[in-house]
Amino acid sequence: MNAEGAQGSMKHGSPLRTCVGCRHVEDQHQLMRWVVDAEEPTRVIPDHDRRRPGRGAWLHPNTECAQLAVRRRGFSRAFKTGN
């Protein structure tokens, strides 16, 4: 193996995340992160800065994926709430 080894052939891009609506895998910069609101645990809020604590759910910023996430219970699955 050369000096680069196996790592030299890997792509160095952004982490991949799965949309909780359509279930497509995308670069995390294509998706919006959502978290459970610490003050009201039955509500999810957008995490624009991607720095809030806790599990995050990733969603394409469009109506179709939001509707799919609600219909398929994507947020419940992502946050492991069972609701």
Side-chain angles (χ1 to χ4, degrees):
M1 225 183 261
N2 62 20
E4 289 184 63
Q7 293 180 351
S9 63
M10 293 185 347
K11 292 183 179 180
H12 296 285
S14 296
L16 299 177
R17 301 289 183 251
T18 302
C19 175
V20 296
C22 68
R23 308 282 297 159
H24 285 117
V25 177
E26 298 277 355
D27 179 292
Q28 77 175 5
H29 295 293
Q30 301 299 315
L31 303 169
M32 169 73 73
R33 183 174 189 260
W34 292 78
V35 296
V36 173
D37 187 350
E39 296 175 11
E40 191 176 329
T42 59
R43 186 174 83 158
V44 294
I45 56 174
D47 182 10
H48 299 289
D49 296 328
R50 300 177 179 164
R51 291 187 177 12
R52 289 184 181 266
R55 289 184 67 87
W58 298 82
L59 185 71
H60 283 109
N62 63 50
T63 305
E64 295 83 14
C65 285
Q67 290 171 344
L68 282 170
V70 171
R71 188 170 67 225
R72 294 178 176 172
R73 296 185 180 115
F75 286 111
S76 296
R77 187 174 52 250
F79 298 128
K80 298 181 180 187
T81 62
N83 292 330

Coordinates of all heavy atoms in Angstrom, one line a residue:
M1 N 0.8 -1.2 0.0 CA 0.0 0.0 0.0 C 0.9 1.2 0.0 O 1.9 1.3 0.6 CB -0.9 0.0 1.2 CG -2.3 0.3 0.9 SD -3.3 0.4 2.4 CE -4.1 -1.2 2.3
N2 N 0.4 2.3 -0.7 CA 1.2 3.5 -0.7 C 1.0 4.3 0.6 O 0.3 3.9 1.4 CB 0.9 4.3 -2.0 CG -0.5 4.7 -2.0 OD1 -1.2 4.8 -1.0 ND2 -1.0 5.1 -3.2
A3 N 1.7 5.5 0.6 CA 1.6 6.3 1.8 C 0.2 6.8 2.1 O -0.2 7.0 3.3 CB 2.5 7.5 1.7
E4 N -0.7 6.9 1.1 CA -2.0 7.4 1.3 C -2.9 6.3 1.9 O -3.8 6.5 2.6 CB -2.7 7.8 0.0 CG -2.1 9.1 -0.5 CD -2.8 9.6 -1.8 OE1 -4.1 9.8 -1.7 OE2 -2.2 9.6 -2.8
G5 N -2.6 5.0 1.6 CA -3.3 3.9 2.1 C -4.8 4.0 1.7 O -5.1 4.6 0.7
A6 N -5.6 3.3 2.4 CA -7.0 3.2 2.0 C -7.7 4.5 2.2 O -8.7 4.8 1.5 CB -7.7 2.1 2.9
Q7 N -7.2 5.4 3.1 CA -7.9 6.7 3.3 C -7.7 7.6 2.1 O -8.5 8.5 1.9 CB -7.4 7.3 4.6 CG -7.8 6.6 5.8 CD -7.2 7.2 7.1 OE1 -6.4 8.2 7.0 NE2 -7.6 6.8 8.2
G8 N -6.7 7.4 1.3 CA -6.5 8.3 0.2 C -7.5 8.2 -0.9 O -7.8 9.1 -1.6
S9 N -8.2 7.1 -0.9 CA -9.2 6.9 -1.9 C -10.6 7.3 -1.4 O -11.6 7.3 -2.2 CB -9.3 5.4 -2.4 OG -9.6 4.6 -1.3
M10 N -10.8 7.6 -0.1 CA -12.1 8.0 0.4 C -12.4 9.4 0.0 O -11.6 10.3 -0.1 CB -12.1 7.9 1.9 CG -12.0 6.4 2.4 SD -12.2 6.1 4.2 CE -12.0 7.7 4.9
K11 N -13.7 9.7 -0.2 CA -14.2 11.0 -0.5 C -14.3 11.7 0.9 O -14.8 11.2 1.8 CB -15.5 11.0 -1.2 CG -15.4 10.4 -2.6 CD -16.7 10.5 -3.3 CE -16.6 10.0 -4.7 NZ -17.8 10.0 -5.4
H12 N -13.9 13.0 0.9 CA -14.0 13.8 2.1 C -15.1 14.8 1.9 O -14.8 16.0 1.7 CB -12.6 14.4 2.4 CG -11.6 13.4 2.8 ND1 -11.5 12.8 3.9 CD2 -10.6 12.9 2.0 CE1 -10.5 11.9 4.0 NE2 -9.9 12.0 2.8
G13 N -16.3 14.4 2.0 CA -17.4 15.3 1.9 C -18.1 15.5 3.3 O -17.6 15.0 4.3
S14 N -19.3 16.1 3.2 CA -20.0 16.3 4.5 C -20.7 15.0 4.8 O -20.9 14.1 4.0 CB -21.1 17.3 4.2 OG -20.5 18.6 4.0
P15 N -21.0 14.8 6.1 CA -21.7 13.6 6.5 C -23.1 13.4 5.8 O -23.7 14.4 5.4 CB -22.0 13.8 8.0 CG -20.9 14.8 8.4 CD -20.7 15.7 7.2
L16 N -23.5 12.2 5.6 CA -24.7 11.9 4.9 C -25.8 11.7 6.0 O -25.6 11.1 7.1 CB -24.6 10.6 4.1 CG -23.6 10.7 2.9 CD1 -23.6 9.4 2.2 CD2 -24.0 11.8 2.0
R17 N -27.0 12.1 5.7 CA -28.2 12.0 6.6 C -29.4 11.5 5.8 O -29.4 11.7 4.6 CB -28.5 13.3 7.3 CG -27.4 13.9 8.1 CD -27.1 13.1 9.4 NE -26.1 13.7 10.2 CZ -24.9 13.2 10.4 NH1 -24.5 12.1 9.8 NH2 -24.0 13.8 11.1
T18 N -30.3 10.9 6.5 CA -31.5 10.4 5.8 C -32.7 11.3 6.2 O -32.9 11.5 7.4 CB -31.8 8.9 6.3 OG1 -30.7 8.1 6.0 CG2 -33.0 8.4 5.6
C19 N -33.4 11.7 5.2 CA -34.6 12.5 5.4 C -35.7 11.6 6.1 O -36.0 10.5 5.6 CB -35.1 13.1 4.1 SG -36.7 13.9 4.2
V20 N -36.3 12.1 7.2 CA -37.3 11.3 7.9 C -38.6 11.3 7.1 O -39.6 10.6 7.4 CB -37.6 11.8 9.3 CG1 -36.3 11.6 10.2 CG2 -38.1 13.2 9.4
G21 N -38.7 12.1 6.0 CA -39.9 12.1 5.2 C -39.8 11.2 4.0 O -40.5 10.1 4.0
C22 N -39.0 11.5 3.1 CA -38.9 10.7 1.9 C -37.9 9.5 2.0 O -37.8 8.6 1.1 CB -38.5 11.5 0.7 SG -36.8 12.2 0.8
R23 N -37.1 9.5 3.1 CA -36.1 8.5 3.4 C -34.9 8.4 2.4 O -34.2 7.5 2.3 CB -36.7 7.1 3.4 CG -37.9 7.0 4.3 CD -37.6 6.8 5.8 NE -36.9 5.6 6.0 CZ -36.1 5.4 7.1 NH1 -36.0 6.4 8.0 NH2 -35.4 4.3 7.2
H24 N -34.7 9.5 1.6 CA -33.5 9.6 0.7 C -32.3 10.1 1.5 O -32.4 10.9 2.4 CB -33.8 10.6 -0.4 CG -34.7 10.0 -1.5 ND1 -35.9 10.6 -1.8 CD2 -34.6 8.9 -2.3 CE1 -36.5 9.9 -2.7 NE2 -35.7 8.9 -3.0
V25 N -31.2 9.5 1.2 CA -29.9 9.9 1.8 C -29.3 11.1 1.1 O -29.2 11.0 -0.1 CB -29.0 8.7 1.9 CG1 -27.6 9.1 2.5 CG2 -29.6 7.6 2.6
E26 N -28.9 12.1 1.8 CA -28.4 13.3 1.2 C -27.2 13.8 2.1 O -27.1 13.5 3.2 CB -29.4 14.4 1.2 CG -30.7 14.2 0.4 CD -30.4 14.4 -1.1 OE1 -29.4 14.9 -1.5 OE2 -31.4 14.1 -1.9
D27 N -26.4 14.7 1.5 CA -25.4 15.5 2.2 C -26.2 16.3 3.3 O -27.3 16.8 3.0 CB -24.7 16.4 1.2 CG -23.7 17.3 1.9 OD1 -24.1 18.2 2.7 OD2 -22.5 17.1 1.6
Q28 N -25.7 16.4 4.5 CA -26.4 17.1 5.6 C -26.7 18.5 5.3 O -27.7 19.1 5.8 CB -25.7 16.9 6.9 CG -24.5 17.8 7.0 CD -23.8 17.8 8.4 OE1 -24.2 16.9 9.2 NE2 -22.9 18.6 8.7
H29 N -26.0 19.1 4.4 CA -26.2 20.5 4.0 C -27.5 20.7 3.2 O -28.0 21.8 3.0 CB -25.0 21.2 3.4 CG -23.8 21.2 4.3 ND1 -23.8 22.0 5.4 CD2 -22.7 20.5 4.3 CE1 -22.7 21.9 6.0 NE2 -22.0 21.0 5.4
Q30 N -28.0 19.6 2.7 CA -29.3 19.7 1.9 C -30.5 19.5 2.7 O -31.6 19.7 2.2 CB -29.2 18.6 0.8 CG -28.1 18.6 -0.1 CD -28.1 19.9 -1.0 OE1 -29.1 20.3 -1.5 NE2 -26.9 20.5 -1.1
L31 N -30.3 19.2 4.0 CA -31.4 18.9 4.9 C -31.4 19.8 6.1 O -30.4 20.4 6.5 CB -31.3 17.5 5.4 CG -31.2 16.4 4.4 CD1 -30.8 15.0 5.0 CD2 -32.5 16.2 3.7
M32 N -32.6 20.0 6.7 CA -32.8 20.8 7.9 C -32.8 19.9 9.1 O -33.5 18.8 9.1 CB -34.1 21.6 7.8 CG -34.5 22.3 9.1 SD -33.6 23.7 9.5 CE -34.1 24.9 8.3
R33 N -32.1 20.3 10.2 CA -32.1 19.5 11.4 C -33.3 20.0 12.3 O -33.4 21.2 12.5 CB -30.8 19.6 12.1 CG -30.7 18.7 13.4 CD -29.3 18.8 14.0 NE -29.1 17.8 15.0 CZ -29.2 18.1 16.3 NH1 -29.4 19.3 16.7 NH2 -29.0 17.2 17.2
W34 N -34.0 19.0 12.9 CA -35.1 19.3 13.8 C -34.8 18.6 15.1 O -34.2 17.5 15.1 CB -36.4 18.8 13.3 CG -36.8 19.6 12.1 CD1 -36.4 19.4 10.8 CD2 -37.8 20.6 12.0 NE1 -37.0 20.3 10.0 CE2 -37.9 21.0 10.7 CE3 -38.6 21.2 13.0 CZ2 -38.7 22.0 10.3 CZ3 -39.5 22.2 12.6 CH2 -39.5 22.6 11.2
V35 N -35.1 19.2 16.3 CA -34.9 18.6 17.6 C -36.2 18.8 18.4 O -37.0 19.6 18.1 CB -33.7 19.2 18.3 CG1 -32.4 19.0 17.6 CG2 -33.9 20.7 18.5
V36 N -36.3 18.0 19.5 CA -37.4 18.1 20.4 C -37.1 19.4 21.3 O -36.0 19.6 21.8 CB -37.5 16.9 21.4 CG1 -38.5 17.1 22.4 CG2 -37.8 15.7 20.6
D37 N -38.2 20.2 21.4 CA -38.1 21.4 22.2 C -37.9 21.1 23.7 O -38.8 20.4 24.2 CB -39.4 22.3 22.0 CG -39.4 23.6 22.6 OD1 -38.4 23.9 23.4 OD2 -40.3 24.4 22.3
A38 N -36.9 21.6 24.3 CA -36.6 21.3 25.7 C -37.7 21.8 26.6 O -38.0 21.3 27.7 CB -35.3 21.9 26.1
E39 N -38.3 22.9 26.2 CA -39.4 23.5 27.1 C -40.7 22.9 26.9 O -41.6 22.9 27.8 CB -39.5 25.0 26.8 CG -38.2 25.8 27.2 CD -38.2 27.2 26.8 OE1 -39.3 27.7 26.4 OE2 -37.2 27.9 26.9
E40 N -41.0 22.3 25.7 CA -42.2 21.7 25.4 C -42.0 20.4 24.6 O -41.9 20.4 23.4 CB -43.1 22.6 24.6 CG -44.5 22.1 24.4 CD -45.4 23.1 23.7 OE1 -45.2 24.3 23.8 OE2 -46.3 22.7 23.0
P41 N -41.8 19.3 25.4 CA -41.3 18.0 24.8 C -42.2 17.4 23.7 O -41.8 16.4 23.1 CB -41.1 17.1 25.9 CG -41.3 17.9 27.2 CD -41.9 19.2 26.8
T42 N -43.4 17.9 23.6 CA -44.3 17.4 22.5 C -44.2 18.1 21.2 O -44.9 17.9 20.3 CB -45.8 17.5 23.0 OG1 -46.1 18.8 23.2 CG2 -46.0 16.6 24.2
R43 N -43.2 19.0 21.1 CA -43.1 19.9 20.0 C -41.6 19.7 19.4 O -40.7 19.6 20.2 CB -43.3 21.3 20.4 CG -43.3 22.3 19.2 CD -43.7 23.7 19.7 NE -42.5 24.3 20.3 CZ -42.4 25.6 20.4 NH1 -43.4 26.4 20.1 NH2 -41.3 26.1 20.9
V44 N -41.5 19.7 18.1 CA -40.2 19.7 17.5 C -40.0 21.1 16.9 O -40.9 21.7 16.4 CB -40.0 18.6 16.4 CG1 -40.1 17.2 17.0 CG2 -41.0 18.7 15.3
I45 N -38.7 21.5 16.9 CA -38.4 22.8 16.4 C -37.1 22.7 15.5 O -36.3 21.8 15.7 CB -38.1 23.8 17.6 CG1 -37.0 23.3 18.5 CG2 -39.3 24.1 18.4 CD1 -36.5 24.3 19.6
P46 N -37.0 23.6 14.5 CA -35.9 23.6 13.7 C -34.6 24.0 14.4 O -34.6 24.9 15.3 CB -36.2 24.6 12.6 CG -37.2 25.5 13.1 CD -37.9 24.7 14.2
D47 N -33.5 23.4 14.1 CA -32.2 23.7 14.7 C -31.3 24.3 13.6 O -30.5 23.6 13.0 CB -31.6 22.4 15.2 CG -30.2 22.7 15.9 OD1 -29.9 23.8 16.1 OD2 -29.6 21.7 16.2
H48 N -31.5 25.6 13.3 CA -30.9 26.2 12.2 C -29.3 26.2 12.3 O -28.6 26.0 11.3 CB -31.3 27.7 12.0 CG -32.8 27.8 11.7 ND1 -33.3 27.4 10.5 CD2 -33.8 28.2 12.5 CE1 -34.7 27.6 10.6 NE2 -35.0 28.1 11.8
D49 N -28.8 26.3 13.5 CA -27.4 26.3 13.7 C -26.8 24.9 13.9 O -25.6 24.8 14.0 CB -27.0 27.2 14.9 CG -27.4 28.6 14.7 OD1 -27.3 29.1 13.5 OD2 -27.7 29.3 15.7
R50 N -27.7 23.9 14.0 CA -27.3 22.5 14.2 C -26.4 22.3 15.4 O -25.4 21.6 15.4 CB -26.5 22.0 13.0 CG -27.4 22.0 11.7 CD -26.6 21.6 10.5 NE -27.5 21.7 9.4 CZ -27.1 21.6 8.2 NH1 -25.9 21.6 7.9 NH2 -28.0 21.7 7.2
R51 N -26.8 23.0 16.5 CA -26.0 23.0 17.7 C -26.8 22.6 19.0 O -26.3 22.5 20.1 CB -25.3 24.3 18.0 CG -24.2 24.6 17.0 CD -23.4 25.8 17.3 NE -22.3 26.2 16.6 CZ -21.8 25.9 15.4 NH1 -22.4 25.0 14.7 NH2 -20.8 26.4 14.8
R52 N -28.1 22.5 18.8 CA -28.9 22.2 20.0 C -28.6 20.7 20.5 O -28.3 19.9 19.7 CB -30.4 22.3 19.7 CG -30.9 23.7 19.5 CD -32.4 23.7 19.2 NE -32.8 25.1 19.0 CZ -33.3 25.9 20.0 NH1 -33.4 25.4 21.2 NH2 -33.7 27.1 19.7
P53 N -28.8 20.5 21.8 CA -28.5 19.2 22.3 C -29.6 18.2 21.9 O -30.7 18.6 21.6 CB -28.4 19.4 23.8 CG -29.3 20.6 24.0 CD -29.1 21.4 22.8
G54 N -29.3 16.9 22.0 CA -30.2 15.9 21.8 C -30.2 15.3 20.4 O -29.5 15.7 19.5
R55 N -31.0 14.3 20.2 CA -31.2 13.6 18.9 C -31.7 14.6 17.9 O -32.6 15.3 18.2 CB -32.1 12.4 19.0 CG -31.5 11.2 19.8 CD -32.4 10.0 19.7 NE -32.5 9.5 18.4 CZ -31.7 8.6 17.9 NH1 -30.7 8.1 18.6 NH2 -31.9 8.1 16.6
G56 N -31.3 14.5 16.7 CA -31.8 15.3 15.6 C -32.5 14.5 14.6 O -32.2 13.3 14.4
A57 N -33.5 15.0 14.0 CA -34.1 14.4 12.8 C -33.9 15.3 11.6 O -33.9 16.5 11.8 CB -35.6 14.3 13.1
W58 N -33.6 14.7 10.5 CA -33.2 15.5 9.3 C -34.4 15.4 8.3 O -34.9 14.4 8.1 CB -31.9 14.9 8.7 CG -30.8 15.1 9.7 CD1 -30.5 14.3 10.8 CD2 -29.9 16.2 9.8 NE1 -29.5 14.8 11.5 CE2 -29.0 15.9 10.9 CE3 -29.6 17.3 9.0 CZ2 -28.0 16.8 11.2 CZ3 -28.6 18.1 9.4 CH2 -27.8 17.9 10.4
L59 N -34.6 16.6 7.7 CA -35.8 16.7 6.8 C -35.5 17.6 5.6 O -34.9 18.7 5.8 CB -37.0 17.2 7.6 CG -38.3 17.3 6.8 CD1 -38.9 15.9 6.6 CD2 -39.3 18.1 7.7
H60 N -35.8 17.2 4.4 CA -35.7 18.2 3.3 C -36.6 19.4 3.6 O -37.7 19.2 4.1 CB -36.2 17.5 2.0 CG -35.2 16.6 1.4 ND1 -35.4 15.2 1.4 CD2 -34.0 16.8 0.8 CE1 -34.4 14.7 0.8 NE2 -33.5 15.6 0.4
P61 N -36.2 20.6 3.2 CA -37.0 21.8 3.5 C -38.1 22.0 2.5 O -38.1 23.0 1.7 CB -35.9 22.9 3.5 CG -34.9 22.4 2.5 CD -34.8 20.9 2.7
N62 N -39.0 21.0 2.4 CA -40.1 21.2 1.5 C -41.4 20.6 2.1 O -41.3 19.7 3.0 CB -39.8 20.6 0.1 CG -39.6 19.1 0.1 OD1 -40.4 18.4 0.6 ND2 -38.5 18.7 -0.5
T63 N -42.5 21.0 1.6 CA -43.8 20.6 2.1 C -44.0 19.1 1.9 O -44.6 18.4 2.8 CB -45.0 21.4 1.4 OG1 -44.7 22.7 1.6 CG2 -46.3 21.0 2.0
E64 N -43.6 18.5 0.8 CA -43.9 17.1 0.5 C -43.2 16.2 1.5 O -43.8 15.3 2.1 CB -43.4 16.7 -0.9 CG -44.1 17.4 -2.0 CD -43.6 18.8 -2.3 OE1 -42.5 19.2 -1.9 OE2 -44.4 19.6 -3.0
C65 N -42.0 16.5 1.9 CA -41.2 15.7 2.8 C -41.8 15.9 4.2 O -41.9 14.9 5.0 CB -39.7 16.0 2.8 SG -38.9 15.3 1.4
A66 N -42.2 17.1 4.6 CA -42.9 17.3 5.9 C -44.1 16.5 6.0 O -44.4 15.9 7.1 CB -43.1 18.8 6.1
Q67 N -45.0 16.5 5.0 CA -46.2 15.7 5.0 C -45.9 14.2 5.1 O -46.6 13.5 5.9 CB -47.0 16.0 3.8 CG -47.6 17.4 3.8 CD -48.3 17.8 2.5 OE1 -48.1 17.1 1.4 NE2 -49.1 18.8 2.5
L68 N -44.9 13.7 4.4 CA -44.5 12.3 4.5 C -44.0 12.0 5.9 O -44.3 10.9 6.4 CB -43.4 12.0 3.4 CG -43.9 11.8 2.0 CD1 -42.7 11.7 1.1 CD2 -44.7 10.6 1.9
A69 N -43.2 12.9 6.5 CA -42.7 12.6 7.8 C -43.8 12.5 8.8 O -43.8 11.6 9.7 CB -41.8 13.8 8.2
V70 N -44.9 13.3 8.7 CA -46.0 13.2 9.6 C -46.8 11.9 9.4 O -47.1 11.2 10.3 CB -46.9 14.5 9.5 CG1 -48.2 14.3 10.3 CG2 -46.2 15.7 10.0
R71 N -47.1 11.7 8.1 CA -47.9 10.5 7.7 C -47.2 9.2 8.1 O -47.8 8.2 8.6 CB -48.2 10.5 6.3 CG -49.2 9.4 5.9 CD -49.7 9.5 4.5 NE -48.6 9.3 3.5 CZ -48.4 10.1 2.4 NH1 -49.2 11.1 2.2 NH2 -47.4 9.8 1.6
R72 N -45.8 9.1 7.9 CA -45.1 7.9 8.2 C -44.5 7.9 9.6 O -43.8 7.0 10.0 CB -43.9 7.8 7.2 CG -44.3 7.6 5.8 CD -43.1 7.6 4.9 NE -43.4 7.3 3.5 CZ -42.6 7.3 2.5 NH1 -41.3 7.7 2.7 NH2 -43.0 7.1 1.3
R73 N -44.9 8.9 10.4 CA -44.4 9.0 11.8 C -42.9 9.0 11.9 O -42.2 8.4 12.7 CB -44.9 7.8 12.7 CG -46.4 7.9 12.8 CD -47.0 6.8 13.7 NE -48.4 7.0 13.8 CZ -49.2 6.0 13.4 NH1 -48.8 4.9 12.9 NH2 -50.5 6.2 13.5
G74 N -42.3 9.7 11.0 CA -40.8 9.8 10.9 C -40.2 10.5 12.1 O -39.1 10.1 12.5
F75 N -40.8 11.5 12.6 CA -40.3 12.2 13.8 C -40.3 11.3 15.0 O -39.4 11.2 15.8 CB -41.0 13.5 14.1 CG -40.6 14.6 13.1 CD1 -41.6 15.1 12.2 CD2 -39.4 15.2 13.1 CE1 -41.3 16.1 11.4 CE2 -39.0 16.2 12.3 CZ -40.0 16.6 11.4
S76 N -41.4 10.5 15.2 CA -41.5 9.6 16.3 C -40.4 8.5 16.2 O -39.8 8.2 17.2 CB -42.9 8.9 16.3 OG -43.9 9.9 16.5
R77 N -40.2 8.0 15.0 CA -39.2 7.0 14.8 C -37.8 7.6 15.1 O -37.0 7.0 15.8 CB -39.3 6.5 13.4 CG -38.4 5.3 13.2 CD -38.6 4.7 11.8 NE -38.5 5.6 10.7 CZ -39.6 6.0 10.0 NH1 -40.8 5.5 10.2 NH2 -39.4 6.9 9.0
A78 N -37.5 8.8 14.6 CA -36.2 9.4 14.8 C -35.9 9.8 16.2 O -34.8 9.6 16.7 CB -36.1 10.7 14.0
F79 N -37.0 10.2 17.0 CA -36.8 10.5 18.4 C -37.1 9.4 19.3 O -37.0 9.5 20.5 CB -37.6 11.8 18.7 CG -37.2 13.0 17.9 CD1 -38.2 13.7 17.3 CD2 -35.9 13.4 17.9 CE1 -37.9 14.8 16.5 CE2 -35.6 14.5 17.1 CZ -36.6 15.2 16.5
K80 N -37.5 8.2 18.8 CA -37.7 7.0 19.5 C -38.8 7.3 20.6 O -38.6 6.8 21.7 CB -36.5 6.5 20.1 CG -35.5 6.0 19.1 CD -34.2 5.5 19.7 CE -33.3 5.1 18.5 NZ -32.1 4.4 19.0
T81 N -39.9 8.0 20.3 CA -40.9 8.2 21.2 C -42.1 7.3 21.2 O -42.8 7.1 22.1 CB -41.5 9.7 21.0 OG1 -42.1 9.7 19.7 CG2 -40.4 10.7 21.2
G82 N -42.3 6.6 20.0 CA -43.4 5.7 19.9 C -44.7 6.3 19.7 O -45.7 5.6 19.6
N83 N -44.8 7.6 19.6 CA -46.1 8.3 19.4 C -46.4 8.4 17.9 O -45.7 8.5 17.1 CB -46.1 9.7 20.0 CG -46.1 9.7 21.5 OD1 -46.6 8.7 22.1 ND2 -45.4 10.7 22.1

